[in-house]
């Protein structure tokens, strides 16, 4: 079962790409491979000021991961204890079926190794009790590593504060 | 070797963020922010990409001596002994023929500048200068004249600020990690950001209000704000009475600058200006009028910046919660660091750049980098024949590098000491390659702020190539010139012990957190009795006798910006989060993957008139200089403005990733290597024409 979720606080995100850079350095992702992405959208004028929305796209670690079903060798694995979907590199034959299967294009091509690599929530860090690199290194602390239910709670509270007539 | 954590200081830009480096078997695993100082492991993208710099082979790997014409790119790899002997012998010749003052040295500025300053002083030259003519000279000199404080003599208390007004300081893109984080905290805490700029950017996108101002009219806005704040009695009466001189003169001076006047100039409505004045007036003193960072814009910057300093003073923001906190150093606690420089007799010779003479109001502390070319060409006030550019790349930062380069031809010796192949290095006689910040330990520096202390850059890994640290390079040069006694150490550990002598601390004390705090709680001076402004009066000086005594007025009337000829654009530049100092970041493998070239942004209506579409290749021209660059169209830029990122158009072929990519802004800035009243170059006075390449 998926235990984790990366919550992105739009109010804090400044679209600086630090998450991507921390991810790339942590995972030694070669040129072209980006395990997470910030996709800037906008600008669009809201209350007189053009605003940006920066969409953070790591792997969603799906409950029914298309990539896992598509993988012919069993290299793409969903870890049962916490739902992390990861590639077991030595089993990957570089067929790219997972890239085709994932509706969001999340698995990345490692051109140096001829294999697929993907966001694994920085599994090795999690197993040491740490948080993913992108979350840890984010310039403004816009990313939070929490459980999906916490995420909905955080989001609801933020929204409530935003629409409250008593906000400061 | 196993794994270890090393606390240090980033050098990917001049933000100098505190970092912690995870090292595994002499390889950098990861670079994070120092959590003790940044409240988390947060670190900007450039800081994270520092890992790639270390093993990059596209940097000088051994000392190099030129083996062809200057700039020909022909180099002979030599030993350190040969390179240092070569530099020392040629310096001796210059000193024998023209005197020590004919040797000049510059750096990129900042806090870790003791070795080079000591070296140039030790050989008897007064001629240290730095990069700030192309950056913050105008705000530095303005702040000194108003408050007796350096540009960075205050720390902004963003987290507690209720209003932050930024005149074009792109805080969330040209960013420093801690500052960006604190500004976001401020916004989350309900503080309001007001961004004034000639183009919308990501900082504006986060602002409560964004004012697109007519280019070159910021001074009119600042004066009108002062006008309303005084007229409507919105200022901090107690603070103004206690801590300022010249309030009446200021009040009289701003009388004509009504909001209606400013509306016509700036394009910002009078009602908006009045509202902003009232908003900050009501929020005082928890208000920050950001002094600026790169403020080399126009010829009148000095007065714009004096006005911004005055706004802070009127609202009593100095030493107020949520305002500008005056920095305190370890010296104020009786624990100064020992300094190499203070052991060396000061030269009595006049400076080459006219600071203190031709420009009596300008401090020679930072000097005037843009003056070197004309001094070389005229031999006035005296000949300069040797120049050491240390981690400074004037040919990549001063306006009109072709002109500067032609003047540098007159040098008998041009030395570049850098981790990079800089443009200046490429044109020099000798390149002395420095260890990167991950490979070297520097001298201890004071952490000035509300909690003074010390901080240290420490080597995280062993060096990759035949490079050396600055502590060694300058000592070796000093030895060869017979002034080695001013470098009384055999290694950096000895120097650090000497620096810390008498403080009760030692090198080991940096191990735990990477820095040393001298106090537990922030020191806040008493706003009634305790403030220290290092002006002659000890107060904020709206009227500066010191300036007026040398014929520089305290106020100048607003003047309209130089008229824009039909069909032309004002060229404006800035940075993005992935690149600041272009020469550290533009050829960085990781950062280059993200932004490898710049684009020119113009208003879509202007583009329409010119038949330009998104992505078209354009020719941008000024005074015969032509640059090619692709277009981006936007609604959110002033129609008179063309914007590009600074730091592109690399000319050094060995930097294969950035070589020839994008356009060079500085090449278009013809004739602007001149000294404005604030000591800055007036970059933004460059105008260009733009056409589509058929
Ligand atoms: S790679 Fe795509 S399909 Fe697979 S878990 Fe991630 S988001 Fe789901
Ligand atoms: S969790 Fe790790 S692998 Fe996934 S996007 Fe973040 S840094 Fe990259
Ligand atoms: S802002 Fe970024 S590049 Fe600059 S010193 Fe800080 S971490 Fe390094």
């Amino acid at each position: 079962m998926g235990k984790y979720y990366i919550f992105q606080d739009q109010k804090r995100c400044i679209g600086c790409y630090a998450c991507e850079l921390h991810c790339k350095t942590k995972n030694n992702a070669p040129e072209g491979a980006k395990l997470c992405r910030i996709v800037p959208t906008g600008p669009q004028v809201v209350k007189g000021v053009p605003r940006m929305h920066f969409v953070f796209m790591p792997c969603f670690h799906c409950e029914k991961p298309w990539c896992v079903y598509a993988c012919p060798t069993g290299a793409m694995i969903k870890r049962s204890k916490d739902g992390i979907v990861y590639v077991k590199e030595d089993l990957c034959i570089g067929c790219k079926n997972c890239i085709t299967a994932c509706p969001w294009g999340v698995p990345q091509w490692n051109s140096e190794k001829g294999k697929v690599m993907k966001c694994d929530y920085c599994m090795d860090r999690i197993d040491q009790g740490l948080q993913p690199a992108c979350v840890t290194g984010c310039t403004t602390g816009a990313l939070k590593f929490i459980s999906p239910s916490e995420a909905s709670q955080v989001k609801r509270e933020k929204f409530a504060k935003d629409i409250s007539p008593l906000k400061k | 070797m196993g794994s270890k954590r090393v606390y240090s200081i980033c050098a990917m830009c001049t933000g100098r963020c505190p970092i912690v480096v995870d090292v595994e078997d002499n390889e950098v695993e990861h670079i994070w922010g120092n959590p003790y100082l940044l409240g988390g492991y947060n670190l900007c993208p450039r800081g994270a990409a520092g890992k790639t710099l270390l093993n990059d082979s596209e940097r000088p790997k051994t000392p190099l001596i030129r083996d062809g014409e200057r700039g020909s790119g022909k180099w002979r790899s030599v030993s350190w002994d040969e390179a240092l002997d070569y530099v020392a012998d040629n310096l001796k010749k210059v000193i024998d023929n023209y005197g020590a003052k004919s040797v000049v040295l510059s750096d990129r500025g900042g806090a870790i500048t003791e070795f080079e300053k000591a070296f140039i002083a030790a050989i008897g030259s007064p001629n240290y200068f730095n990069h700030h003519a192309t950056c913050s000279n105008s705000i530095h000199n303005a702040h000194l004249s108003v408050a007796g404080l350096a540009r960075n003599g205050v720390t902004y208390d963003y987290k507690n600020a209720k209003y932050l007004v930024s005149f074009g300081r792109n805080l969330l893109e040209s960013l420093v990690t801690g500052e960006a984080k604190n500004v976001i905290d401020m916004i989350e805490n309900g503080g309001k950001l007001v961004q004034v700029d000639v183009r919308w950017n990501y900082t504006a996108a986060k602002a409560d209000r964004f004012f697109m101002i007519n280019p070159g009219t910021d001074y009119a806005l600042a004066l009108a704000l002062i006008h309303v704040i005084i007229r409507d009695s919105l200022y901090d009466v107690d603070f103004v009475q206690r801590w300022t001189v010249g309030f009446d003169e200021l009040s009289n001076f701003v009388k004509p600058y009504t909001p209606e006047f400013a509306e016509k100039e700036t394009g910002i409505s009078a009602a908006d200006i009045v509202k902003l004045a009232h908003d900050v007036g009501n929020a005082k003193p928890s208000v920050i009028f950001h002094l600026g960072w790169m403020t080399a814009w126009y010829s009148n910057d000095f007065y714009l910046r004096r006005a911004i300093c005055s706004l802070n003073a009127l609202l009593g923001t100095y030493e107020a919660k949520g305002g500008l906190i005056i920095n305190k150093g370890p010296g104020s606690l009786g624990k100064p660091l020992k300094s190499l420089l203070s052991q060396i007799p000061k030269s009595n010779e006049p400076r080459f750049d006219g600071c203190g003479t031709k420009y009596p109001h300008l401090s020679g502390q930072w000097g005037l980098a843009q003056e070197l070319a004309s001094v070389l060409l005229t031999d006035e006030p005296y000949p300069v024949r040797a120049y050491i550019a240390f981690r400074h790349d004037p040919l990549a930062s001063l306006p009109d590098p072709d002109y500067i380069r032609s003047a540098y031809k007159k040098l008998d010796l041009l030395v570049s000491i850098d981790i990079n192949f800089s443009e200046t290095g490429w044109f020099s006689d000798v390149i002395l390659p420095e260890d990167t910040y991950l490979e070297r330990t520097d001298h201890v520096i004071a952490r000035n702020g509300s909690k003074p202390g010390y901080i240290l850059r420490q080597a995280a890994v062993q060096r990759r190539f035949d490079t050396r640290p600055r502590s060694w390079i300058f000592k070796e040069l000093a030895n060869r010139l017979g002034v080695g006694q001013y470098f009384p150490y055999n290694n950096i550990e000895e120097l650090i012990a000497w620096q810390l002598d008498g403080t009760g601390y030692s090198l080991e004390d940096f191990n735990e957190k990477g820095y040393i705090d001298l106090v537990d709680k922030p020191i806040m001076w008493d706003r009634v009795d305790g403030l220290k402004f290092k002006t002659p009066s000890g107060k904020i000086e709206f009227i500066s006798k010191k300036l007026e005594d040398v014929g520089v007025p305290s106020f100048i009337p607003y003047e309209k910006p130089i008229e824009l000829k039909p069909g032309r654009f004002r060229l404006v530049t800035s940075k993005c989060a992935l690149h600041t100092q272009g020469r550290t970041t533009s050829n960085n493998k990781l950062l280059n993957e993200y932004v490898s070239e710049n684009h020119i942004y113009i208003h879509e209506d202007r583009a329409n008139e010119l038949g330009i579409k998104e992505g078209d290749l354009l020719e941008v021209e000024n005074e015969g200089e032509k640059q090619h660059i692709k277009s981006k169209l936007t609604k959110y830029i002033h129609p008179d403005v063309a914007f590009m990122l600074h730091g592109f158009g690399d000319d050094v072929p060995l930097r294969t990733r950035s070589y020839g990519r994008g356009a060079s802004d500085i090449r278009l800035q013809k004739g602007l290597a001149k000294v404005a009243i604030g000591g800055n170059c007036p970059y933004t006075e460059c105008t260009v024409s733009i056409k589509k390449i058929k």
Side-chain angles (χ1 to χ4, degrees), chain A residues 54-75:
Chain A
F54 304 103
V55 186
F56 177 66
M57 298 269 289
C59 170
F60 299 135
H61 299 272
C62 308
E63 280 305 303
K64 292 195 180 350
W66 303 67
C67 57
V68 171
Y69 300 134
C71 177
T73 68

Side-chain angles (χ1 to χ4, degrees), chain B residues 10 12-13 15-17 43-44 46-47 175-177:
Chain B
C10 181
M12 292 296 284
C13 86
R16 283 187 301 281
C17 296
L43 197 69
C44 95
R46 310 179 302 274
L175 65 87
V176 176
T177 306

Side-chain angles (χ1 to χ4, degrees), chain A residues 9-18 20-22 24-26 28 31-34 40 43 45 49-52 54 125 133 136-141 158 168, chain B residues 29-32 41-45 48-49 51 172 175 177 180-181 184-185 188-190 200 202 204-210 577-578 589-591 593-594 636:
Chain A
D9 185 345
Q10 273 304 325
K11 271 200 157 153
R12 297 193 70 92
C13 179
I14 56 173
C16 72
Y17 297 97
E20 291 198 31
L21 269 294
H22 281 284
K24 285 201 74 138
T25 55
K26 149 74 178 67
N28 290 316
E31 197 171 337
K34 291 168 177 161
V45 177
V49 179
R51 303 289 178 197
M52 291 296 292
F54 304 103
R125 287 180 60 84
T136 309
C138 168
T139 306
T140 62
K158 279 196 181 285
K168 45 177 169 179
Chain B
E29 284 272 286
H30 208 103
I31 309 175
W32 307 105
Y41 290 89
N42 321 71
L43 197 69
C44 95
K51 180 178 168 178
L172 302 180
L175 65 87
T177 306
K181 192 180 174 196
I184 294 296
D185 280 347
E188 190 155 329
N189 295 341
W200 169 88
Y202 285 0
K206 283 275 190 266
D208 190 58
R209 267 176 284 162
F210 164 53
L578 293 154
K589 197 168 176 220
L590 276 169
L591 298 170
E593 181 183 342
Y594 280 78
Y636 307 114

